[in-house]
């Protein structure tokens, strides 16, 4: 790298030059990820399109947070096992979920129940799990209006984040060839990759919940939290690749007439960062897989959403975002 940046230094042929400290192998020995971008686009469409169709025709399986229902706040006077509480609630056929709190408290969320149904659940938990402190019982009815407020706030947060991401990336990459125009190409490509991850995640959950009728595909506040987390993870992973593209573009421009083409720079940058992205994501996925298997029924939907989102974010940052940038640069060349 020192040889490339020192004026007048002798350079080896392009196929053997060092870029950002790593040797550039001959094309025959390199994976041509950018050249196969249509294959990766097709794979994404095969996964996303069925989900979009399901969302438009079937919708989502909504949890209590979004369709309304009953919340029971209970406190056991003796230590209670969460798995036992979940088993008793599941046997009541009230579409219930269980969340463990502090000091032996539990929150049981179900569809709308009348006082008699609420009493039956409390009595069953008291007799089958552990004694319940009756003076600590609270029952609240949750209306769908709360859900609309939550969704509206989340959508506004995503919109604001998208605008800030676009402006930040445009500012961050304005110094590459093409200036602000090139910067907006980087930012726009990152946002398109982000849309890919969001549509893939929501589409899969629509299929799980409404087509396959699985409770794990239920949309609730935890799913919303996972979706927002995926947004941040996806953009972070994409910026890692884009930042390496920026560095290599600057270095390639210094080569003058022998500089790499834009597609070669992008492909090289992907290869230099792919291992880091995959290894980082793999370690996170191991933890999520353990939580999915042993974390209890309440967390399964949340963990599955994170798992799908991180897989999708890693895939899109390597195989979609940079390829979208290449296509955009072909349609609107910059100088």
């Amino acid at each position: 790298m020192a040889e490339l940046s020192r004026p007048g230094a002798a350079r080896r042929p392009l196929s053997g030059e060092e870029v950002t400290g790593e040797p550039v192998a001959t094309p025959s020995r390199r994976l041509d990820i950018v050249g196969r971008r249509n294959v990766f686009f097709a794979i994404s469409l095969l996964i996303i399109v069925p989900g979009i169709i399901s969302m438009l025709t079937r919708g989502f399986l909504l949890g209590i947070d979004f369709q309304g229902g009953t919340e029971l706040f209970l406190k056991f006077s003796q230590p209670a096992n969460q798995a036992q509480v979940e088993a008793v609630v599941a046997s009541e056929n009230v579409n219930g979920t269980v969340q463990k709190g502090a000091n032996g408290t539990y929150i049981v969320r179900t569809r709308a129940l009348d006082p008699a149904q609420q009493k039956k659940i409390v009595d069953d938990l008291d007799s089958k799990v552990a004694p319940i402190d009756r003076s600590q019982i609270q029952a609240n009815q949750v209306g769908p209006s709360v859900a609309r407020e939550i969704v509206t706030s989340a959508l506004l947060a995503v919109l604001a984040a998208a605008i800030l991401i676009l402006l930040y990336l445009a500012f961050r990459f304005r110094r590459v060839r093409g200036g602000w125009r090139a910067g907006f190409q980087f930012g726009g490509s990152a946002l398109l990759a982000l849309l890919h991850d969001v549509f893939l995640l929501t589409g899969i959950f629509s299929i799980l919940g409404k087509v396959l009728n699985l409770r794990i595909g239920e949309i609730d506040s935890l799913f919303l939290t996972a979706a927002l987390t995926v947004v941040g993870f996806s953009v972070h992973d994409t910026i890692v690749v884009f930042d390496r593209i920026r560095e290599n573009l600057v270095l390639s421009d210094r080569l003058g007439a022998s500089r790499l083409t834009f597609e070669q720079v992008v492909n090289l940058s992907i290869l230099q960062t792919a291992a880091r992205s995959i290894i980082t994501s793999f370690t996170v996925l191991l933890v999520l897989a353990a939580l999915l298997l042993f974390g209890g029924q309440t967390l399964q939907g949340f963990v599955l959403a994170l798992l799908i989102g991180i897989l999708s974010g890693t895939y899109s940052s390597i195989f979609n975002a940079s390829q979208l940038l290449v296509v955009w640069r072909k349609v609107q060349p910059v100088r």
Side-chain angles (χ1 to χ4, degrees):
M1 184 164 161
E3 293 181 358
L4 291 177
S5 59
R6 188 173 67 248
R11 289 189 282 104
R12 289 170 287 177
L14 186 61
S15 61
E17 285 175 336
E18 293 183 358
V19 179
T20 64
E22 296 185 17
V24 182
T26 58
S28 61
R29 295 171 58 192
R30 284 288 187 179
L31 294 174
D32 187 11
I33 295 177
V34 174
R36 295 181 175 88
R37 56 183 174 272
N38 290 334
V39 175
F40 302 126
F41 290 157
I43 293 173
S44 294
L45 288 175
L46 286 174
I47 301 174
I48 291 175
V49 170
I52 292 177
I53 294 174
S54 176
M55 285 189 288
L56 293 175
T57 59
R58 305 295 294 274
F60 298 97
L61 177 63
L62 300 179
I64 180 178
D65 298 341
F66 295 145
Q67 68 178 355
T70 300
E71 281 186 339
L72 293 174
F73 293 84
L74 310 172
K75 183 174 183 179
F76 291 92
S77 56
Q78 297 178 5
N81 183 277
Q82 183 172 351
Q84 292 179 325
V85 177
E86 291 175 347
V88 172
V89 173
S91 67
E92 302 290 336
N93 295 321
V94 291
N95 297 328
T97 61
V98 177
Q99 180 180 345
K100 186 176 183 180
N103 301 321
T105 60
Y106 283 86
I107 303 174
V108 179
R109 295 184 175 93
T110 69
R111 58 177 169 79
L113 303 177
D114 58 38
Q117 293 171 315
Q118 297 173 21
K119 184 177 183 303
K120 184 177 184 304
I121 292 177
V122 173
D123 290 341
D124 287 346
L125 289 172
D126 186 271
S127 61
K128 297 178 181 179
V129 180
I132 293 177
D133 185 350
R134 302 278 175 163
S135 64
Q136 299 289 331
I137 297 176
Q138 297 181 27
N140 299 325
Q141 297 296 325
V142 180
S145 60
V146 177
R148 285 194 292 269
E149 293 177 5
I150 294 174
V151 173
T152 301
S153 299
L155 291 177
L156 289 176
V158 171
L159 179 61
I163 295 173
L164 291 174
I165 289 169
L166 179 60
L167 293 176
Y168 168 75
L169 291 181
F171 176 80
R172 173 73 173 171
F173 297 101
R174 74 193 187 284
R175 296 189 183 279
V176 301
R177 189 166 64 250
W180 282 95
R181 185 179 179 185
F184 277 105
Q185 288 181 347
F186 276 92
S189 300
L191 291 184
L192 288 175
L194 177 60
L195 286 177
H196 163 277
D197 300 333
V198 171
F199 278 119
L200 187 145
L201 175 60
T202 54
I204 289 179
F205 264 68
S206 175
I207 293 173
L208 290 174
K210 297 297 287 187
V211 178
L212 301 179
N213 295 316
L214 298 176
R215 283 293 305 280
I216 198 172
E218 189 175 81
I219 303 297
D220 54 15
S221 57
L222 283 177
F223 171 84
L224 200 58
T225 303
L228 294 175
T229 304
V230 167
V231 167
F233 185 92
S234 174
V235 173
H236 167 270
D237 226 19
T238 300
I239 290 177
V240 170
V241 181
F242 279 5
D243 211 41
R244 182 55 64 91
I245 293 175
R246 179 182 62 84
E247 294 173 357
N248 287 341
L249 279 175
V250 173
L251 190 58
S252 177
D253 285 343
R254 292 177 184 172
L255 299 179
S258 300
R259 68 190 180 195
L260 300 173
T261 66
F262 185 72
E263 288 193 25
Q264 289 173 326
V265 170
V266 171
N267 197 72
L268 175 63
S269 303
I270 292 173
L271 294 175
Q272 290 175 338
T273 56
R276 171 188 170 182
S277 296
I278 292 172
I279 292 172
T280 301
S281 299
F282 180 71
T283 56
V284 177
L285 292 176
L286 288 178
V287 177
L288 292 176
L291 284 174
L292 184 64
L293 294 174
F294 309 110
Q297 182 181 1
T298 304
L299 291 177
Q300 282 185 339
F302 172 72
V303 174
L304 180 63
L306 284 178
L307 196 149
I308 293 172
I310 290 176
L311 274 174
S312 174
T314 304
Y315 178 87
S316 65
S317 66
I318 298 173
F319 299 109
N320 283 344
S322 302
Q323 275 73 300
L324 287 169
L325 180 62
V326 170
V327 173
W328 198 333
R329 186 63 66 95
K330 282 181 174 291
V331 174
Q332 293 184 340
V334 296
R335 295 181 180 178

